[in-house]
Structure formats: C-alpha cells, structure tokens
Amino acid sequence: MNKIKDYKLEYFNPKEIKLNGWIKHQLQTQMEGLSGHLKDFWPDICDSSWIGGKADSWERVPYWLDGYIPLVYLLNDKEGIKVAKFYVDNIVNRQSKDGWIAPSSVDRSTYDVWGIFIVLKALLNYASINNDKKVYESIYKALKSLDKHIDTYPLYNWAKYRWFEALIVIYPLYKIYKEEWLITLASKLHEQGFDYFTYYLNEFPKEKCKTKEWTYYTHGVNHAMAVKCYALYSLLTKNKEDIKKSDYMLSALNKYHGNIMGTFNADECLAGKDPRQGSELCLIVELMYSLEVLTQITKSSKYLDQLETLAFNALPNAISSDMWAHQYDTQVNAPFIKRSETYLWTNNGSESNLYGLEPHYGCCTSNFHQGWPKFVLSCLAINKKELYINSLIPITLNNKLFKVKIEGSYPFFNKVKIKIDSKIDTKLHLNIPSTSKFVVINDTKIYKKGYVFLPLLKGMNTFDIEVINEAKFIKNYDGYSLKEGNLVYALKIDEKIVRINEDQAYKELPHGDFEYHNISKFNYCLASFSKDIALHKVNKNESPFVSKLYPKSYYLDCYEIDYEVVGNYVNFKDKIISKRIKKEFIPIAINKLHLGTLKLLGDKNE
C-alpha cells in the first residue's frame, strides 16, 4: 500500500520549459538585477557560512537558492547554472559525517532548524532538475540527522510554525527510499508543529492586530505558508477533511485581511483590509507558492485566479522595474513612498515601503527570487498523461509527450494561440479564469469557468483563444477598485525617484535605496462608475512591468477631495473640492505610486 499519496498534478522540469515574449523579458530582467548579482556583493550570500564564509548561517542562502536555481534553468543561463552548482556542491561537501547539513559553526542546541527546511527544499530542486544522486543522498542524510535532532531539541520559533515545509522534501525522498522512518518523521513534525486550525477556530484575528504586539501566530508570512499545511499533511492522512482545513484558512485570510491585489495585509502581523496597510514581499511569494502547491495536491482550478492576481499585481508592484530594488511592504494605496517615523504598520519600521536593497529587514532580499520562476513552472502540468494549462502566459514546453507553444501577450492582450504537437491521443484541461466574461476557443463561445476539457489528438493541435473580460468596479474596504480579468487598475500618480542612504555600505548604485515622491495630485475620489478606454502601442515582447509601457488605460470620472498627510500615509476626507475631472488609471504595478482603492462620493451612475 502506498503510504503517501501523489500530488495530482506534476509540474515540468525547468529544462523542458522555454520562455517567450514578455515573461522572458521579465525573468531576464530579474537575472540582471538583484537575483543574479547578490552573490557578487551582499555578504549574506557571497560570504555565507553555508559556503565556508563568516556571514549568515541560517536562511539567507537557502532562500536565495530556492528561487535562483529554477530561474537559471528556465533561462538556460550557463554561468548561472555554474553558480548554482558551486553553492550546492559547497553545501553538500561541507555536510557533517552524521548528516547535519547546517554550517558546522552553529550551536546545534540553539539552532532554529527552519534554515535546514529551506536549504533542503533548494537542494531538492537541484536534485530533481538534474537527477543528481549525490544531492539526493545528502538530503537523505540530512533528514536522518534532523529526525534525531528534534528528539532532543523539539521544534521552536520559526520551525515550529513552518513544520509542514519539510514535508515538501520528505515525501519525494520516501518515494525514492521507501523507508518507514520518513513517515514517522513527517508525523513527528506535525506533532511538534503549531496547530493552526485550532487557532483559526478560536483565536484568529478578524481585524488588524495591535501595533507592536508581534507573535509567531499572527505573523503574516507564517500564515501565507500555512494555508497549504493541512493539504500537504492530507497526503499522509488521506483525509479529505484536511484539505478543507486549508481552504478554511485561506478563506478566512482573504475575508478579513485580503486586498484587491490577491494578497492579504500583514506588516508584519495581520493588519485588516485597509488599503494603506502593507503586505510583506515574503508573504506575496510564499502565498503564491502555497497556491501552486494547493493546485498540485487537489487538481483544482479554484486557486488559480488568486495566483494570477498576485503574479500580475502584487509581485511586480513590490519590485522596482529594473529589479535592483524591492519593498518590504507593498500597498494598494501608495500616494508617496518615503521614510517616516509615523506610519500605520503593525510592527515594521520607518523604511518599510522604500525600494531598496534590504529595507527594514533582509529576509525579502533573499526570498523574493522564487516568485516569478515558480509561477512560470506552475503554468503547465501533467496528470496521467493529460495536459493542464493553468495560465496563458507565453511559454514553450518540449518533453517526451508534448511540444507546446503558447503565443501571445496574456494578460495584457487576450488573444492567444496554443500549438500542441502531441505524441498520443489524450486530453487538454485549459483553465478559464473565473473573472472572464467568456472565452472564444476556435470560434466557439465557452461560458464555463475553471478547467475546460478539450480533446487532444495525436499530432498537431491548434487552439485560437480569446479571453473576453469586462472591467468591473469591486467593493474593497471603504471604496472601490477597478479590475479587468486578473489585472487591477489604479490611479496613475506621476513620480520622482529620490535616492537615499547613499553613504551606507552596499547601497551603491545600482542596488541603492529610493523614495518615490509624487509630482502630481493624488487626492481623488470616484465620481461615478463610468469609464472610457484608451489604447496604446507597445512592444508585445517587452514586459510592461519592466518597460513601464502599458497597452491600455481607463479614464474615470473623479473629484478632487480634501485630505491630510500623517507621516507616510494619507487620511482622505469626504469633502469634494473640485469639478468632475477625468483621471487616468493604469495597471497597478506599472507605477509605484498609485491609488488602487478610491472612495465613491459621486452620483454612483453606472
């Protein structure tokens, strides 16, 4: 009997994926920015204890590798692949004889093994991409060591609240080695880990946590990771109720703390639904990964809209267009981005919404790299030789069963051509976003949402697809947001970038710290729900998040309203101080200054 159920969907090896169009431009820019260069100057990567240096011995290199490895293989970046191998080889070759994988310099009795969970995830990525038996053996020995270690030193701090991340490594190792102690280890981690579901039933906060009251169990990134924990554990228990627990947690987060960009407010602890609050970049990429894993486990399309919304709005919003800087906290409403000692954050500091090398704290500097690569890998999947297309971004697959090419510039342009050369007669499951009005597939209108089944015949198959969206105003906190498909549109605010902290170490250009100052008015409310469209010429092979050139604007009727500035946030008042005026709204991630939620103080006419 199989002790562990398989994921229902399997994502493809990044060696089988080729990037096209705007998504290729996006990942190339990522590689040319911080992702590809932290190893050259940032001590926590280039002088890490994981490779024999003197800097960080915990989560920084593991986090970075977890995104860097799939990135370099998706880009087929030869030098990047050499760098990945250098780091992996150093970690594996420095492993202690008893299997302990963390740097030998650390005190095992006080070491938070969360760092080990992440490094094993990164090593598993590398081993599975390359079928590297030496790395698999290293992971096996490390899990053996971990199993013994937590008998003496049970999980605490971050590892206690992220226990389930180790299951992502344990399960595939069990498939290889078939040894019972791995099952026991999975159960032991569950027993020592935090009981999220009981917490959700009894203590889960339904509003913003109190300022400065930091706890592990209200920490936003922990919750972004944890929404998949019971679904992961269900592969061991084979209990469908465990999947329902994960869904319950995700629903609660979205209901009480969610925002229009697909993330939920937590800066750092859960922060309600106010669009001025922030979402930590670590939270954004970890929530994306959780949704990707939930899709794999359940073979359900219900997580894919939120995943796309995160990928097309929250993620690019939190990173500068050249990807040399990022925020710690990103906001739906950001009329200015500046350092201030007066702020709304639950726990974070005065520089938390700056774009920089490591604003507030460096965890996001090392962790954001997984966002784009893992999203790309989640867009195509297979189950029992049936093909799944989860998102229509422009990518190519070339493997033993299928040659797939998705052409177009989705989600910015919604006409897509899919060419599939199949070696077998099988089925295609194409995800239709629930936000669409309908889709047209080879001249046939399809009103069904989620996975649509299409026959896939041996030989060449061609599907001409057009996703028909309708821009809609969505109630969001105390105002409305404009969303078309899974793209959020926001008030465009002209911005001036101002460099700060130039005298600090490692803040030399291009990896400096920056404020964004507004040079146009931002104090507007909606006058009505009327809208006009303006189309712009763009290069469809360039990422709008990089080029900052966008194919479509909406012009909305607005009023100027009274306001007051308090520190680094704004209080808008219900007093209209102008005649009706048309204002431009663009995709929220294009400009770093924007209002994604506006009050409606007008006549409310559709």
Side-chain angles (χ1 to χ4, degrees):
M1 181 179 176
N2 193 355
K3 293 288 184 72
I4 299 174
K5 290 178 66 176
D6 292 326
Y7 287 1
K8 291 185 177 179
L9 291 181
E10 180 183 352
Y11 297 144
F12 293 97
N13 190 313
K15 288 182 176 180
E16 300 174 325
I17 301 290
K18 181 181 177 183
L19 307 173
N20 306 317
W22 76 266
I23 196 67
K24 180 179 181 180
H25 187 210
Q26 186 68 36
L27 269 71
Q28 283 178 330
T29 303
Q30 178 174 341
M31 189 64 188
E32 292 163 4
L34 286 177
S35 294
H37 291 281
L38 284 176
K39 63 178 176 51
D40 300 326
F41 72 92
W42 199 41
D44 283 349
I45 303 300
C46 66
D47 191 35
S48 169
S49 295
W50 287 96
I51 57 170
K54 297 179 180 179
D56 182 72
S57 59
W58 190 45
E59 66 177 8
R60 300 290 172 85
V61 155
Y63 261 152
W64 173 70
L65 283 176
D66 193 36
Y68 185 81
I69 289 170
L71 175 65
V72 297
Y73 280 100
L74 281 169
L75 290 170
N76 193 25
D77 187 303
K78 298 295 193 295
E79 289 304 311
I81 290 169
K82 288 179 183 178
V83 170
K85 186 177 187 306
F86 168 81
Y87 275 83
V88 170
D89 284 347
N90 262 274
I91 293 167
V92 169
N93 292 338
R94 293 175 186 279
Q95 186 172 20
S96 300
K97 289 182 179 180
D98 67 352
W100 181 258
I101 193 79
S104 58
S105 59
V106 303
D107 181 348
R108 296 191 191 187
S109 66
T110 58
Y111 190 75
D112 184 346
V113 295
W114 162 238
I116 291 175
F117 293 177
I118 322 173
V119 84
L120 294 184
K121 282 173 60 183
L123 293 179
L124 179 67
N125 276 340
Y126 185 88
S128 60
I129 290 168
N130 297 293
N131 193 26
D132 192 313
K133 293 181 180 179
K134 181 181 178 181
V135 178
Y136 277 126
E137 186 66 22
S138 173
I139 297 168
Y140 172 89
K141 292 189 292 184
L143 289 174
K144 268 279 191 184
S145 172
L146 177 67
D147 187 35
K148 293 178 181 178
H149 178 81
I150 64 174
D151 286 338
T152 305
Y153 306 105
L155 302 181
Y156 76 106
N157 287 0
W158 298 103
K160 178 179 179 178
Y161 289 84
R162 299 174 178 182
W163 60 270
F164 44 86
E165 295 289 327
L167 303 184
I168 293 166
V169 180
I170 292 169
Y171 289 166
L173 264 288
Y174 179 78
K175 301 290 184 185
I176 296 170
Y177 292 97
K178 301 288 193 299
E179 295 183 14
E180 192 68 24
W181 66 268
L182 286 161
I183 301 292
T184 304
L185 174 57
S187 298
K188 193 186 301 182
L189 290 165
H190 174 258
E191 290 166 7
Q192 293 187 12
F194 182 67
D195 182 356
Y196 278 95
F197 191 63
T198 298
Y199 174 76
Y200 269 71
L201 291 178
N202 297 293
E203 300 177 62
F204 178 78
K206 297 180 179 179
E207 55 188 21
K208 178 181 175 179
C209 293
K210 292 181 180 179
T211 301
K212 303 303 180 185
E213 289 189 5
W214 191 100
T215 66
Y216 287 104
Y217 48 82
T218 57
H219 189 266
V221 181
N222 285 346
H223 286 273
M225 293 178 177
V227 293
K228 63 180 177 293
C229 70
Y230 292 103
L232 274 167
Y233 200 58
S234 76
L235 298 177
L236 188 60
T237 65
K238 303 178 179 62
N239 186 347
K240 292 181 180 179
E241 293 302 311
D242 284 328
I243 294 175
K244 291 180 181 179
K245 290 178 182 178
S246 279
D247 286 343
Y248 179 89
M249 291 166 60
L250 181 61
S251 295
L253 287 166
N254 287 333
K255 180 177 180 180
Y256 297 109
H257 304 281
N259 66 46
I260 194 66
M261 291 195 295
T263 184
F264 54 88
N265 292 336
D267 46 32
E268 289 182 354
C269 297
L270 297 170
K273 296 177 74 69
D274 189 330
R276 299 173 300 176
Q277 293 289 165
S279 297
E280 189 178 334
L281 179 51
C282 279
L283 186 160
I284 293 167
V285 296
E286 293 294 352
L287 182 57
M288 289 176 66
Y289 180 61
S290 288
L291 295 169
E292 290 154 9
V293 172
L294 285 167
T295 302
Q296 281 188 283
I297 292 171
T298 64
K299 200 175 64 175
S300 171
S301 63
K302 65 184 177 183
Y303 308 106
L304 297 176
D305 278 307
Q306 186 168 1
L307 176 57
E308 280 199 346
T309 303
L310 285 159
F312 302 150
N313 302 282
L315 178 61
N317 190 28
I319 310 171
S320 64
S321 59
D322 62 5
M323 299 192 75
W324 275 103
H326 69 89
Q327 293 178 301
Y328 194 76
D329 290 322
T330 187
Q331 303 153 280
V332 173
N333 280 2
F336 41 73
I337 292 167
K338 66 179 184 178
R339 180 170 42 192
S340 173
E341 296 300 328
T342 304
Y343 41 79
L344 287 175
W345 318 129
T346 59
N347 299 95
N348 295 340
S350 61
E351 297 190 351
S352 295
N353 68 347
L354 301 184
Y355 285 84
L357 174 62
E358 45 181 328
H360 185 66
Y361 194 67
C363 58
C364 297
T365 308
S366 54
N367 190 24
F368 81 83
H369 318 277
Q370 66 172 304
W372 284 114
K374 290 185 181 180
F375 172 67
V376 169
L377 291 173
S378 75
C379 292
L380 293 171
I382 191 169
N383 172 256
K384 297 178 180 178
K385 297 185 179 180
E386 295 180 7
L387 182 65
Y388 286 73
I389 296 180
N390 292 330
S391 182
L392 293 169
I393 64 170
I395 56 177
T396 298
L397 168 72
N398 189 353
N399 92 329
K400 293 184 295 183
L401 289 178
F402 308 108
K403 291 184 179 179
V404 180
K405 187 169 186 180
I406 304 176
E407 300 174 319
S409 296
Y410 178 86
F412 310 104
F413 296 89
N414 290 330
K415 287 186 177 180
V416 174
K417 182 184 288 288
I418 302 175
K419 297 177 181 177
I420 304 173
D421 187 358
S422 178
K423 300 295 183 184
I424 57 172
D425 289 337
T426 183
K427 297 176 182 177
L428 170 64
H429 302 265
L430 176 66
N431 177 56
I432 307 301
S434 66
T435 50
S436 65
K437 192 173 181 180
F438 60 88
V439 297
V440 180
I441 303 177
N442 291 347
D443 298 324
T444 300
K445 286 186 179 180
I446 307 290
Y447 288 89
K448 185 179 183 297
K449 307 298 167 63
Y451 285 128
V452 171
F453 155 68
L454 299 169
L456 200 58
L457 303 178
K458 185 176 180 180
M460 181 59 71
N461 301 258
T462 302
F463 303 95
D464 290 305
I465 298 170
E466 184 173 8
V467 181
I468 307 298
N469 292 321
E470 181 180 7
K472 295 181 179 179
F473 288 94
I474 298 172
K475 187 75 172 74
N476 185 45
Y477 191 63
D478 62 350
Y480 289 85
S481 299
L482 182 65
K483 191 174 183 185
E484 181 186 330
N486 286 324
L487 275 177
V488 177
Y489 282 75
L491 174 71
K492 179 185 177 183
I493 301 172
D494 295 334
E495 54 196 26
K496 177 183 179 182
I497 301 175
V498 178
R499 186 183 174 200
I500 64 169
N501 297 334
E502 55 263 43
D503 58 339
Q504 294 182 10
Y506 313 114
K507 303 294 179 69
E508 62 272 12
L509 295 178
H511 40 84
D513 286 356
F514 306 94
E515 294 183 338
Y516 284 63
H517 298 180
N518 54 57
I519 52 175
S520 65
K521 290 182 178 180
F522 58 82
N523 52 311
Y524 294 98
C525 69
L526 293 173
S528 73
F529 288 135
S530 63
K531 51 188 178 292
D532 299 319
I533 298 175
L535 302 178
H536 313 284
K537 289 185 178 181
V538 297
N539 183 339
K540 293 184 179 182
N541 289 321
E542 290 186 352
S543 167
F545 306 130
V546 176
S547 68
K548 301 193 77 173
L549 300 174
Y550 41 93
K552 181 188 294 184
S553 298
Y554 282 95
Y555 283 85
L556 307 183
D557 288 338
C558 295
Y559 291 117
E560 192 177 342
I561 57 174
D562 197 9
Y563 68 98
E564 63 174 350
V565 175
V566 183
N568 76 341
Y569 65 93
V570 174
N571 290 323
F572 290 109
K573 300 181 180 181
D574 293 346
K575 181 181 178 182
I576 296 172
I577 58 174
S578 75
K579 294 181 179 180
R580 187 180 293 220
I581 185 174
K582 294 279 188 185
K583 297 300 297 182
E584 185 181 14
F585 284 63
I586 66 175
I588 196 169
I590 305 298
N591 264 31
K592 302 312 177 188
L593 299 188
H594 52 253
L595 293 185
T597 296
L598 280 74
K599 290 184 176 183
L600 176 66
L601 299 181
D603 55 27
K604 304 183 183 181
N605 291 331
E606 292 285 352

